[in-house]
Amino acid sequence: MKNIGQYIENEIKESVQTEENRYLSILRKANGSDLSWMEEYGRTISEEEKETAAFYFLYPKEKICKMAEHIVEAFLHGFISQNRERKGRKRVRLFYQVGQEALAACVADCLLKNGLKPVVIDPMLPERPKKEQLYLDEISEEMISQLYDRAFLKYKEEALDVCGMIGIGQFGKPDTETQSKERKMLERGRRLVEDSYVQPATISFSKVAFPSLQIGDNFHEIFDEVFEMNLEESEKFEKIQQILIDALDRCKSVRIIGKKPNQTSLNVQMQPIRDPQRETNFMNCGGDLNIPYGEVFTTPQLKGTTGVLHIPDIYLQNRKYHNLKLWFEDGQIADYSSEAEGQETKELIREELLSPYETLPAGEFAIGTNTRAFRICKKYHLEDKMPILIYEKMGPHLAIGDPCYRGGEEEAVYNLLDGKEITARTNEKTRNEDSDDKKYVQKHIDITLPYDEIEELYGYGKEGETIKIIKDGKFVLPGTDELNLGMEERRQEA
């Protein structure tokens, strides 16, 4: 108990304190000519991590600086797009992967130039419970939450000064380990407490990811393409996404039909809109909170969301699934199946996606619009390597778990282009339960159906009309042709 209690207190201290932050000190020393500073992480640094660090420092400095500015601008824009006030708070949590120090250091400098205080988080944090041999077998989630509550109370002033986070990720490693049960237990206990100090409805964030050296022989080419995609401005695409939203707001439900052999046949029920002149169901998501752009998303109504979602191959929670099928009945997973190494198995889904629950609700429905990401994925065969941050932009997706507005449902949110309030912030579960531990499952897992596996995606209008949105993998709604540019380029490359 003493060991886990001290670990939790140190973790919270490092997540809020700017004074004597040793990882910020490492970033200030980081350079490409002498990598001895990497020893200060306190563990063995792999050759790949050293090569990654050298690569980032050799990458054109002006491009690294431009990306850092883009990330910080996206973070600040999140307060505008989400209708949130910073209220004088200055601390921003900064996450990065070992090897990305050149970019992380520039991001930290940009935050300082904007009057903010970077709180640099341990890049090895997910590995620490295993390393420190924490023993949780005899400790309940309630006890863990109590320890987190005690730690947050000790650093309450600092925690209340946190206004958001910036995450710089990495993808493409073929043998990424799944998160340990200890780490999952700790994260769930932390989330149950942290929301009362760092409230989701009041903060901004920005997440971005880049390829790792292990992504393949074309690493440099892939890195350059992803880098430029992450820099792309989203304004013109947001205008096209508004056309999608206007059409979707006329729909009572949306139907998704997979292209054979894909067996998807799913009805997603939209929430009723009381005042169409002032209200909307969908958020118009550009490239601020989640880089790159773009998607439109909503919280679907559970009742009426019924059918099967079939994904032949997908990478979720550091696991690859083959022939993943989820059957929904009124918005809840009623059954599921998948294959692993040629064998049908439910255990993998139960342990990696659902646990500790027997079922999960449909928390989000979205349509991704980034066909440039789709082109890159198909060109380099990255289907089992793309992170969900990018993969979710490559087609419609359903998220199982909590809605996107978890913990912030009472705060009004407006789309910037039309000024309408997004009223679909809750579902039947989050509206009707009286406590957070019943409302929320502390999970949100996006499951995307790529464009080339879609036969049709259309809406049923309120007057009985059919509103066609995607046909044979292409956007067909009038005014959305430009979204198909990435797919057209892919056809030419093929």
Side-chain angles (χ1 to χ4, degrees), residues 109-315:
D109 287 342
C110 286
L111 288 171
L112 290 167
K113 289 176 183 176
N114 281 276
L116 299 169
K117 297 180 179 180
V119 182
V120 185
I121 306 300
D122 180 2
M124 264 74 69
L125 186 60
E127 300 178 10
R128 285 172 58 182
K130 185 186 298 184
K131 176 184 173 183
E132 298 186 10
Q133 296 184 330
L134 302 176
Y135 300 102
L136 304 182
D137 293 343
E138 299 180 1
I139 302 178
S140 66
E141 283 196 5
E142 182 180 0
M143 294 169 70
I144 289 176
S145 293
Q146 289 174 354
L147 290 171
Y148 271 114
D149 193 42
R150 186 184 306 167
F152 271 111
L153 190 60
K154 184 172 182 177
Y155 298 100
K156 179 179 179 179
E157 182 179 346
E158 293 89 345
L160 292 175
D161 189 50
V162 173
C163 63
M165 62 80 67
I166 290 174
I168 308 171
Q170 187 170 257
F171 64 93
K173 292 185 178 182
D175 297 315
T176 304
E177 293 184 6
T178 57
Q179 199 176 47
S180 69
K181 290 183 179 180
E182 290 178 320
R183 185 72 244 167
K184 290 179 181 178
M185 194 171 178
L186 287 169
E187 286 194 355
R188 178 171 169 78
R190 175 171 175 157
R191 283 195 297 265
L192 289 171
V193 175
E194 188 169 29
D195 285 358
S196 61
Y197 294 90
V198 185
Q199 299 174 3
T202 69
I203 64 175
S204 181
F205 63 88
S206 186
K207 294 186 287 186
V208 65
F210 300 92
S212 77
L213 290 174
Q214 295 185 35
I215 201 163
D217 294 336
N218 297 319
F219 164 72
H220 289 87
E221 191 176 345
I222 296 170
F223 189 93
D224 287 344
E225 290 217 40
V226 171
F227 196 94
E228 291 304 316
M229 178 184 68
N230 284 338
L231 274 177
E232 189 165 19
E233 297 295 339
S234 64
E235 184 177 354
K236 71 174 181 178
F237 299 104
E238 291 175 54
K239 292 177 181 177
I240 302 173
Q241 287 172 179
Q242 189 60 51
I243 298 172
L244 285 174
I245 291 174
D246 292 341
L248 289 165
D249 278 346
R250 293 161 45 205
C251 299
K252 293 187 296 184
S253 64
V254 172
R255 186 79 178 172
I256 310 172
I257 306 295
K259 181 186 293 186
K260 293 182 179 179
N262 190 295
Q263 299 172 33
T264 296
S265 179
L266 181 65
N267 186 80
V268 184
Q269 197 71 21
M270 300 295 101
Q271 304 219 28
I273 297 175
R274 294 168 298 180
D275 186 350
Q277 298 301 314
R278 295 183 175 85
E279 298 175 350
T280 179
N281 273 336
F282 283 82
M283 164 66 78
N284 191 334
C285 188
D288 49 10
L289 303 186
N290 290 326
I291 299 172
Y293 77 91
E295 61 175 313
V296 299
F297 67 83
T298 188
T299 305
Q301 180 175 293
L302 296 180
K303 185 175 177 58
T305 296
T306 299
V308 61
L309 177 63
H310 173 214
I311 311 292
D313 289 288
I314 194 168
Y315 199 63

Side-chain angles (χ1 to χ4, degrees), residues 54 86 126 165 219 266 285 293 323 325 417 442 462 488:
R86 192 157 59 86
M165 62 80 67
F219 164 72
L266 181 65
C285 188
Y293 77 91
N323 275 331
K325 295 179 183 178
L417 290 185
Q442 310 298 336
K462 296 171 184 176
E488 294 298 332

